[in-house]
Amino acid sequence: MPRISRCSAVAMIAAAFVFPTSLVAQGTGTIRGRVVDSTGSPVIRATVSVEATGLRAASDERGDFVLGRVPAGRWMVTVRRVGVRTLSAPVSVVAGAETRQDFTVSAIGAVLAPMEVVVGSRAAHTAADELAVPVDVYSTEEIARQGTTETAQILSQLAPSVNFPRQSVSDATEIVRPFTMRGLSPDHSLVLLNGKRRHHTALVHYYGAGMAAGSSGVDLNALPAGAIDHMEVLREGAAAQYGSDAIAGVVNLVLKQGTTARFLTADAGQYMPRDWPHDGKSFDVNGGWSVSGRGSLALFGEYRDRGMTNRAGPDPLDQIVAGDADQIVNDVIVKKNNPVPQPNHHWGDGAEHDVMTFLNGSLPVSADGNTGLYAFGGYSFRRGAGYGYYRQAMSERNWPQIFPIGFLPKFAPDVVDYSAATGLKGLARGWNYDIGGTLGHNGFTYNLQNTLNTSLGPCLTSVCAFGLDGVQGTADDPGIPNQTSFMAGKLELYEAIASLDASREIDIGRSAPLNLAFGTAFRRENYQVIAGEKASWVNGGHADQYGDIAASGSQVFPGFRPEDEANASRNNVAGYLDLESVLVPSVLANLAGRYEHYSDFGSKTTGKLALRWQPVSSLTLRASVSTGFRAPSLNQSYYSSVVTNFRADPVTGNAVPFEVGIFPVASAEARVLGARPLKAESSQNASVGLAVTPFRGLNFTADVYSIAVNDRILLTTFLATDSVAALLRSTGSRAEAAQYFTNALDTRTRGIDLTGNYRVGVGPGFATLTGTYNNTRTKIAGPIPLPQELQGTGAVLFDQYGEGGLNAMTRERPRWRSTVTAQYDLTAWSLMARASSYGKYVSALYSYSADFAQTYSARTIFDAEVGYRLVRGARLSLGGRNLFDTFPERMVEENSFGMFLYPSASPYGFNGRYVYARLEVGPAVP
């Protein structure tokens, strides 16, 4: 079946722009009012929304709000705020007039979410109703106060169960950095956008700290953070509700709409460590514009320019000739013996230049506002920069004629991501329904700069490599000169989904109705590996500068060969049933089941049972059990990255080809080493928790969980013994070492989540204190079975301490993490202070040896921000992350080679202090 075309994607996105033609009504009015509590005190930052229009406003420090450009007619206006009961009232709006509507809200007991939530239940829930599962909701204000504009980093700073380690010298993973949740892999977390499944990246992460090799997660940083109204984090397995991947939990990002989408924000900052040069300048501007009338359309755009940071030490090795190494004492050059600038390696964040756009629109199509069209989608283009290891001038991988003092190869990929969703939702005969379709694409182009293909010789303008026979004009003559930049190939992933969701409340003769929800979905996926240009993978036959056979392909990343190309597709059909009701007074039960069938590996059925008991208004007890699964991705089934190199035959001296790399599971090379067709990972989740409000203003939750994942899909280590080489040659292959994906082991993850929130009036303002704590431990369950084909070969399926090995799964992330945040709001001023603590972790990233497995101590990072409202709708904030310039411990010499001083597994990075300023302008700015 042909792939989903770009034209189709563009057409779906462009369709959303039809909405503005009828958005602005002929007559609009204004709703003005105040939100107070039962004592008459103002309720600040309450969300006031005009249902079915997308119009929203936030109450200020006096409790006042204004909703402008509201279409004439009768509308339902709703107020939501953490700690108070959701309240709605009908309001009649007259064109050209102002309508007054005040609200007096009352406090409620235990609170799990501050606003109506989408994730966690198919029934309509607000803070007053509470869920049977743990859901955290992070507001626009909390998102803005993190001092960063990267969506994934914001999420990791808000949610302690989320880990987002910095990556360096990790190939493509350095550019598209994944997040992990509850100690599992990036692809064990499902991401939704406005409740719709978000597509994965085309990448396979086989290098990187803090995660097992071979996963493909969701690229959150392709989404402009300014477009997000709030984040919902479901800390619970939910595959029975939402499908594959939701083993660790679900992240739902809800887009802004209405007046909340009109804003302009500019951020500027820089790293200012004490013992390093100041670097990493960043500038980010993002904004939103909306029109509202009968419907709503919001457009968002963001531009990010992030400079690189570097915490590498000077290179202690010889550079141009033997014996010319610099004399280094305590990371300082005391005698310079060569002209190579230091540091010549890179160890830190790469530069990035991003342009991101998004839209979110809705249009009522019925007179009562109960039926409407919706559309959202966006396009992002990002060009990152990552680096490999420095090639010294005297290296056999360099040509001094091209790079006289050596070179630092650079990744400069283009990452293109676009998506579109559109549909119709409404109410008909008591049924809420949503008929929609989504399309997603992620593409990664391996552009390389400042590098070369050693086997093409020292010539850039003429051909001086004539194949392995050395004769010009024969069949193996590459016919091309060397290059310093390459297009080394592309990875592309497409996903299209059509879905139907329906729900309604049914009277079953009890005190509460039964909420019945069901739905079905059809998903089509396509994955492609596209070969790079010839110069990126060919062996030109030219010997290296020492007369030995040179390696093939572009340095730092040999390109995808034509033999690596793939174009694979599959279909998925799913159906679910979800029941929820109050069984007996104070006891809520949720039962869900889901069936999915994949055209490539078969079917899977999962189920979930969740209970919530609220014996008194201030206490909620909850528990759940569920089964889940994660389907093997097309990336894992079809990814291939194989390099053909040559070596001299020990007898004849002739060049003999051999291959090493990652082979698809269906290849002869993988099968002879024990590969089997991939099957779905399966999981069993169980959790028990409580939420309590001992007195007004204080909310506390605790949840204990256990996650068993069987048949986890991982990438093996390099299998490279003599016996393995013999097995590979028995198939007629030229391969002598190989990796492949396999369902190889089972893991058990156990942990606890604690959250607390206390809000109280202090003097003329309000103080808020929040705290979170997560403790997670993952263990390998039982022995790791070695395929029969590999028994007796001396091969080990997974390396313990290598990149992406077993240590990365179990100990390379902090076992515990906590945050304590204090905030004080006083009229025009706002103050925030935060302490983030990270537990111990173990890393041996570059030693591959247990002898040098290094334990890094716990650290606490302090952040602060002060904001001042210049005028209504304009706020200036100054802040800092890691104010006391805390670094992790240095790596031991055997891990760092004297140059890579800090572990890339550090959960808070190793850049040091960061200071920033932010200016926010817009009607929704408090």
Side-chain angles (χ1 to χ4, degrees):
M1 180 175 178
R3 72 184 192 187
I4 303 166
S5 70
R6 288 185 175 86
C7 293
S8 299
V10 172
M12 289 188 71
I13 296 174
F17 285 93
V18 173
F19 293 137
T21 60
S22 57
L23 285 178
V24 181
Q26 294 295 319
T28 61
T30 301
I31 302 175
R32 184 184 299 272
R34 175 172 295 179
V35 183
V36 298
D37 63 18
S38 56
T39 67
S41 301
V43 176
I44 67 172
R45 291 184 183 151
T47 299
V48 186
S49 59
V50 182
E51 302 298 324
T53 68
L55 290 169
R56 289 186 178 186
S59 58
D60 61 18
E61 71 277 1
R62 295 183 298 274
D64 294 333
F65 68 90
V66 178
L67 288 160
R69 303 183 68 184
V70 181
R74 187 171 176 83
W75 303 98
M76 189 63 69
V77 179
T78 301
V79 175
R80 297 181 178 91
R81 179 67 169 91
V82 62
V84 302
R85 198 172 302 280
T86 299
L87 185 62
S88 298
V91 178
S92 296
V93 178
V94 178
E98 181 176 290
T99 303
R100 181 79 186 185
Q101 178 63 52
D102 296 327
F103 291 90
T104 299
V105 295
S106 58
I108 61 174
V111 178
L112 304 186
M115 61 190 73
E116 186 173 356
V117 292
V118 175
V119 72
S121 173
R122 298 284 181 179
H125 276 280
T126 67
D129 295 319
E130 303 184 7
L131 303 173
V133 291
V135 176
D136 301 316
V137 183
Y138 303 105
S139 67
T140 302
E141 292 80 14
E142 291 173 294
I143 293 170
R145 289 177 174 174
Q146 300 312 305
T148 180
T149 59
E150 291 186 317
T151 304
Q153 188 175 350
I154 291 171
L155 178 65
S156 70
Q157 292 180 180
L158 288 169
S161 60
V162 173
N163 194 49
F164 183 62
R166 300 287 187 175
Q167 306 288 348
S168 195
V169 193
S170 55
D171 289 357
T173 302
E174 186 172 355
I175 311 303
V176 177
R177 296 177 291 176
F179 76 94
T180 64
M181 190 172 178
R182 282 188 165 179
L184 298 178
S185 294
D187 46 18
H188 288 144
S189 298
L190 176 64
V191 176
L192 307 176
L193 186 62
N194 279 357
K196 302 294 184 180
R197 174 183 284 266
R198 179 76 177 170
H199 59 277
H200 278 197
T201 68
L203 287 179
V204 171
H205 299 291
Y206 47 83
Y207 294 128
M211 60 182 181
S215 61
S216 296
V218 173
D219 183 10
L220 289 183
N221 288 339
L223 300 167
I228 300 172
D229 181 78
H230 62 275
M231 297 178 172
E232 302 172 355
V233 180
L234 169 60
R235 296 179 278 111
E236 181 77 10
Q241 292 175 297
Y242 302 107
S244 177
D245 308 340
I247 291 177
V250 180
V251 175
N252 182 41
L253 307 178
V254 180
L255 299 174
K256 293 176 180 176
Q257 57 182 341
T259 55
T260 62
R262 295 203 293 272
F263 67 95
L264 180 67
T265 302
D267 290 81
Q270 182 178 29
Y271 285 100
M272 302 180 69
R274 180 172 50 253
D275 299 324
W276 294 90
H278 297 176
D279 57 9
K281 287 183 179 178
S282 64
F283 176 73
D284 183 281
V285 58
N286 68 87
W289 172 81
S290 67
V291 292
S292 301
R294 186 162 170 260
S296 174
L297 175 70
L299 304 176
F300 306 95
E302 180 173 359
Y303 171 75
R304 179 187 301 135
D305 187 341
R306 188 187 71 197
M308 64 176 283
T309 64
N310 196 2
R311 303 293 177 261
D315 188 348
L317 302 179
D318 295 339
Q319 300 294 317
I320 299 175
V321 296
D324 73 344
D326 294 327
Q327 186 177 346
I328 302 169
V329 178
N330 294 328
D331 306 320
V332 176
I333 297 175
V334 297
K335 184 180 179 182
K336 187 71 178 163
N337 295 322
N338 60 69
V340 178
Q342 294 290 351
N344 57 1
H345 282 77
H346 177 258
W347 194 243
D349 292 347
E352 193 157 328
H353 305 281
D354 305 335
V355 176
M356 295 170 284
T357 62
F358 230 83
L359 65 83
N360 186 29
S362 62
L363 177 66
V365 295
S366 63
D368 58 7
N370 286 331
T371 304
L373 297 168
Y374 64 87
F376 55 90
Y379 175 90
S380 69
F381 176 85
R382 295 184 295 152
R383 177 162 291 170
Y387 299 88
Y389 297 115
Y390 190 83
R391 272 63 168 163
Q392 290 79 12
M394 59 186 297
S395 169
E396 74 279 0
R397 295 172 292 181
N398 180 48
W399 284 110
Q401 298 91 326
I402 300 176
F403 294 108
I405 63 172
F407 65 96
L408 181 66
K410 178 181 178 180
F411 276 91
D414 292 339
V415 184
V416 175
D417 193 287
Y418 57 77
S419 63
T422 186
L424 177 72
K425 61 169 49 177
L427 178 65
R429 297 185 178 181
W431 287 94
N432 292 289
Y433 64 87
D434 184 341
I435 304 172
T438 63
L439 172 70
H441 164 269
N442 182 267
F444 192 98
T445 302
Y446 284 82
N447 296 323
L448 309 177
Q449 299 175 0
N450 201 54
T451 185
L452 52 76
N453 181 337
T454 314
S455 71
L456 289 175
C459 309
L460 292 177
T461 58
S462 61
V463 176
C464 60
F466 305 118
L468 294 171
D469 61 8
V471 179
Q472 186 174 11
T474 56
D476 69 343
D477 187 346
I480 51 177
N482 214 330
Q483 302 174 197
T484 59
S485 62
F486 301 84
M487 196 290 286
K490 298 180 181 179
L491 298 175
E492 294 191 342
L493 183 140
Y494 298 84
E495 183 177 284
I497 303 174
S499 62
L500 166 65
D501 300 280
S503 66
R504 70 168 298 169
E505 291 186 345
I506 299 174
D507 186 359
I508 55 175
R510 304 183 68 87
S511 59
L514 169 71
N515 190 86
L516 167 66
F518 69 89
T520 184
F522 172 83
R523 184 162 81 247
R524 175 73 171 174
E525 297 173 88
N526 175 260
Y527 176 70
Q528 298 179 52
V529 180
I530 301 171
E533 60 179 311
K534 184 178 182 180
S536 73
W537 53 264
V538 73
N539 191 297
H542 200 293
D544 65 26
Q545 62 172 306
Y546 299 106
D548 298 322
I549 296 174
S552 303
S554 46
Q555 287 294 316
V556 79
F557 185 85
F560 295 113
R561 313 167 306 162
E563 298 93 321
D564 295 322
E565 289 194 319
N567 188 343
S569 298
R570 71 176 177 192
N571 300 327
N572 164 258
V573 178
Y576 70 86
L577 179 66
D578 194 310
L579 306 173
E580 184 173 311
S581 183
V582 176
L583 299 181
V584 296
S586 303
V587 177
L588 175 73
N590 175 255
L591 179 65
R594 189 179 187 95
Y595 171 83
E596 298 209 24
H597 176 77
Y598 285 79
S599 59
D600 57 345
F601 81 84
S603 303
K604 198 73 176 180
T605 301
T606 55
K608 180 175 182 176
L609 172 64
L611 297 172
R612 186 208 70 193
W613 178 39
Q614 191 168 15
V616 294
S617 63
S618 60
L619 175 65
T620 296
L621 303 175
R622 58 195 177 200
S624 69
V625 291
S626 65
T627 59
F629 78 104
R630 190 190 72 81
S633 68
L634 291 176
N635 316 42
Q636 293 170 326
S637 294
Y638 294 97
Y639 181 82
S640 176
S641 179
V642 179
V643 180
T644 302
N645 284 320
F646 292 82
R647 67 182 176 192
D649 185 278
V651 177
T652 66
N654 296 329
V656 178
F658 68 97
E659 296 177 347
V660 295
I662 301 172
F663 290 87
V665 294
S667 66
E669 291 86 351
R671 292 199 308 271
V672 77
L673 299 182
R676 305 287 188 269
L678 296 178
K679 57 184 177 180
E681 300 175 340
S682 61
S683 69
Q684 296 83 42
N685 291 53
S687 70
V688 171
L690 63 84
V692 60
T693 302
F695 53 85
R696 182 179 178 183
L698 175 63
N699 301 297
F700 174 79
T701 72
D703 293 276
V704 179
Y705 56 87
S706 174
I707 308 171
V709 184
N710 298 325
D711 301 318
R712 284 188 67 164
I713 300 173
L714 302 172
L715 184 64
T716 70
T717 190
F718 261 109
L719 308 172
T721 67
D722 291 340
S723 297
V724 165
L727 284 174
L728 291 167
R729 286 195 297 269
S730 70
T731 68
S733 172
R734 299 180 302 193
E736 295 199 356
Q739 290 178 281
Y740 62 86
F741 285 92
T742 180
N743 294 95
L745 53 81
D746 304 334
T747 61
R748 302 294 180 262
T749 299
R750 293 179 174 87
I752 183 172
D753 286 324
L754 304 175
T755 71
N757 181 283
Y758 181 54
R759 178 175 172 80
V760 63
V762 177
F766 288 89
T768 303
L769 182 67
T770 61
T772 61
Y773 175 83
N774 171 264
N775 190 312
T776 298
R777 185 176 184 181
T778 296
K779 291 184 177 181
I780 308 299
I784 301 173
L786 190 69
Q788 183 177 357
E789 292 86 342
L790 290 178
Q791 294 178 9
T793 64
V796 177
L797 206 58
F798 301 106
D799 184 85
Q800 179 70 35
Y801 292 101
E803 289 179 285
L806 301 182
N807 186 73
M809 297 177 60
T810 58
R811 299 195 297 170
E812 206 168 33
R813 288 173 291 239
R815 181 173 175 180
W816 64 267
R817 182 185 164 194
S818 67
T819 62
V820 177
T821 304
Q823 185 174 312
Y824 186 64
D825 296 288
L826 174 65
T827 59
W829 289 91
S830 64
L831 304 173
M832 184 276 291
R834 177 175 55 239
S836 301
S837 299
Y838 303 85
K840 295 179 181 179
Y841 55 98
V842 178
S843 182
L845 194 58
Y846 290 100
S847 71
Y848 290 83
S849 169
D851 295 335
F852 303 108
Q854 188 171 346
T855 300
Y856 295 91
S857 301
R859 289 283 195 269
T860 299
I861 307 300
F862 294 92
D863 309 329
E865 180 181 294
V866 56
Y868 179 70
R869 189 182 68 188
L870 303 173
V871 295
R872 183 176 180 85
R875 176 174 291 273
L876 176 65
S877 301
L878 303 176
R881 301 199 312 265
N882 194 0
L883 284 175
F884 299 111
D885 203 30
T886 300
F887 279 76
E889 293 147 311
R890 292 196 172 196
M891 287 196 281
V892 297
E893 181 76 17
E894 291 78 5
N895 281 341
S896 68
F897 306 112
M899 296 173 289
F900 310 119
L901 305 181
Y902 303 105
S904 63
S906 170
Y908 52 88
F910 46 86
N911 289 322
R913 180 189 300 112
Y914 180 81
V915 297
Y916 62 89
R918 181 178 66 252
L919 177 65
E920 303 167 84
V921 179
V925 175

